[in-house]
Amino acid sequence: MARLLIPLPFAAASASSLHLAVSRLPLAAVSAARRECLFGGRVVGGVVRAPARLSKRGLCAGAEAGDSAVTVEAMEWVKKDRRRLLHVVYRVGDLDKTIKFYTECLGMKLLRKRDIPEERYTNAFLGYGPEDSHFVVELTYNYGVESYNIGTGFGHFGIAVEDVAKTVELIKAKGGTVTREPGPVKGGKSVIAFIEDPDGYKFELIERGPTPEPLCQVMLRVGDLDRAINFYEKAFGMELLRKRDNSEYKYTIAMMGYGPEDKNAVLELTYNYGVKEYDKGNAYAQIAISTDDVYKTAEAIRVNGGQITREPGPLPGITTKITACTDPDGWKTVFVDNIDFLKELEE
């Protein structure tokens, strides 16, 4: 997805100057047939007419959170919006080393790489399939920055593999770090292992059969699990897929997403008993999610207690529409217009 989100430099940007650099290349037309198929519009004279619910302007940006009519409309719309996790963005200290690890040890493919010397950063997109249908990682290397603080809030990424033990042996042979040997998860039967990449990001390897979405989880820690679940259900339109409490080890997890775990990437929220706040560091950045309407998305986030850090609208220089926000725990998310996303990919 061209340059929708990303330089995300080492120095954290303020909400008013969020770094969301974008491509200045002209947008290529998305095929009418493809857009009609994906977004349910109809083709009239070669132009895709959006469905009625997409053609209306978003909710008034200035509406008060207490306005019940606005709240109801926003909540109803969120339930109908077509959303999926697009990619997760984070910073690394040696891009080539990380790409080598991900491709040789984790089986990912380098989808594209882009250097922006005038802004002193390079991006690389990696995953298990094309960006228009798969959740992928977006790595950011800022010139001259060799290390970052991952903090205590970010947990891990999850990857589904058919043979955990075999994958671990490969990682060991390549010099990778294994922090938990393969074996059943505590209190369950699923076989898992934990490894670290060259920058110290943890990956949970989960033994599963063939899946269309091997990059399957992002785990973040939260200070109030019920509050977080409520926010992601109402503001983001996610479904609570399952919730599990482990009183022996004093934590509770909630799996949130837009479809079943075996076929979709999901967000794993973890609450550790008594821990209300975490150090988020400066390494992990944000998740990008698709939406049919960034204006309505922003309003739903507002009325459900989220903070808009980038007002909805087109990015400078191109027509790609986005909005950015933080959840009640301060985790960042960017929403990207569905049709604009496809245009970016077809450049």
Side-chain angles (χ1 to χ4, degrees):
M1 180 179 67
R3 294 168 55 193
L4 286 180
L5 309 179
I6 324 287
L8 293 169
F10 174 69
S14 67
S16 62
S17 61
L18 184 63
H19 287 262
L20 297 165
V22 297
S23 173
R24 297 301 189 266
L25 297 175
L27 294 176
V30 178
S31 71
R34 186 179 183 197
R35 290 170 65 180
E36 181 178 14
C37 175
L38 288 177
F39 302 108
R42 57 191 180 90
V43 180
V44 179
V47 177
V48 177
R49 303 298 185 189
R53 69 180 179 85
L54 301 186
S55 61
K56 294 181 179 179
R57 171 73 174 183
L59 295 172
C60 174
E64 296 294 333
D67 186 327
S68 60
V70 170
T71 301
V72 171
E73 184 177 352
M75 296 298 298
E76 288 302 314
W77 180 81
V78 166
K79 297 176 184 177
K80 301 174 183 178
D81 194 17
R82 285 167 293 187
R83 299 180 176 182
R84 73 174 181 90
L85 303 186
L86 298 177
H87 52 253
V88 59
V89 187
Y90 50 104
R91 304 171 182 93
V92 299
D94 186 328
L95 189 59
D96 290 337
K97 185 177 181 180
T98 303
I99 291 172
K100 181 179 175 66
F101 182 84
Y102 285 16
T103 55
E104 295 184 0
C105 295
L106 300 180
M108 292 186 188
K109 296 179 181 179
L110 176 60
L111 303 173
R112 56 191 172 95
K113 185 179 179 182
R114 178 184 61 247
D115 183 49
I116 312 295
E118 64 273 19
E119 297 180 31
R120 299 181 57 78
Y121 75 92
T122 306
N123 291 140
F125 294 78
L126 297 97
Y128 296 99
E131 293 176 61
D132 62 357
S133 58
H134 289 73
F135 185 52
V136 306
V137 300
E138 177 176 349
L139 307 177
T140 297
Y141 168 69
N142 292 293
Y143 291 9
V145 184
E146 297 181 352
S147 64
Y148 295 92
N149 171 27
I150 293 177
T152 59
F154 170 79
H156 62 261
F157 304 111
I159 296 181
V161 299
E162 294 187 41
D163 190 326
V164 168
K166 184 177 179 179
T167 303
V168 166
E169 289 305 312
L170 172 63
I171 291 169
K172 286 181 177 179
K174 296 287 186 178
T177 302
V178 177
T179 59
R180 184 200 190 276
E181 294 290 336
V185 65
K186 293 175 182 178
K189 298 180 179 180
S190 299
V191 176
I192 66 168
F194 275 91
I195 61 137
E196 286 186 1
D197 76 359
D199 289 273
Y201 291 101
K202 290 182 172 59
F203 284 80
E204 180 182 12
L205 305 178
I206 306 165
E207 192 159 281
R208 289 181 184 170
T211 173
E213 195 71 281
L215 182 60
C216 58
Q217 291 179 3
V218 176
M219 192 275 260
L220 302 174
R221 297 182 176 94
V222 298
D224 184 326
L225 188 60
D226 290 336
R227 179 185 66 181
I229 290 171
N230 183 67
F231 177 81
Y232 280 95
E233 284 182 327
K234 293 181 178 179
F236 282 22
M238 289 186 180
E239 177 185 356
L240 175 60
L241 302 171
R242 62 186 173 95
K243 185 178 179 182
R244 178 169 60 86
D245 180 60
N246 191 322
S247 58
E248 180 181 357
Y249 293 95
K250 300 185 183 302
Y251 73 88
T252 307
I253 64 169
M255 310 302 288
M256 311 288 298
Y258 296 110
E261 290 178 62
D262 60 342
K263 296 180 180 179
N264 299 271
V266 301
L267 185 62
E268 177 181 346
L269 304 176
T270 297
Y271 169 69
N272 291 297
Y273 291 10
V275 183
K276 299 297 184 183
E277 295 183 358
Y278 293 92
D279 171 18
K280 293 181 175 59
N282 59 7
Y284 173 85
Q286 60 204 24
I287 289 176
I289 299 176
S290 63
T291 177
D292 285 333
D293 190 315
V294 297
Y295 300 95
K296 292 182 180 179
T297 290
E299 198 56 50
I301 291 167
R302 282 194 182 95
V303 301
N304 284 288
Q307 180 182 358
I308 299 299
T309 58
R310 203 277 185 190
E311 289 295 330
L315 287 163
I318 63 173
T319 59
T320 300
K321 294 180 290 296
I322 71 164
T323 190
C325 70
T326 55
D327 73 3
D329 286 276
W331 293 114
K332 299 176 183 177
T333 301
V334 170
F335 284 85
V336 184
D337 180 87
N338 271 318
I339 294 178
D340 292 347
F341 176 69
L342 288 183
K343 289 179 182 178
E344 291 283 338
L345 291 181
E346 292 194 356
E347 287 187 346

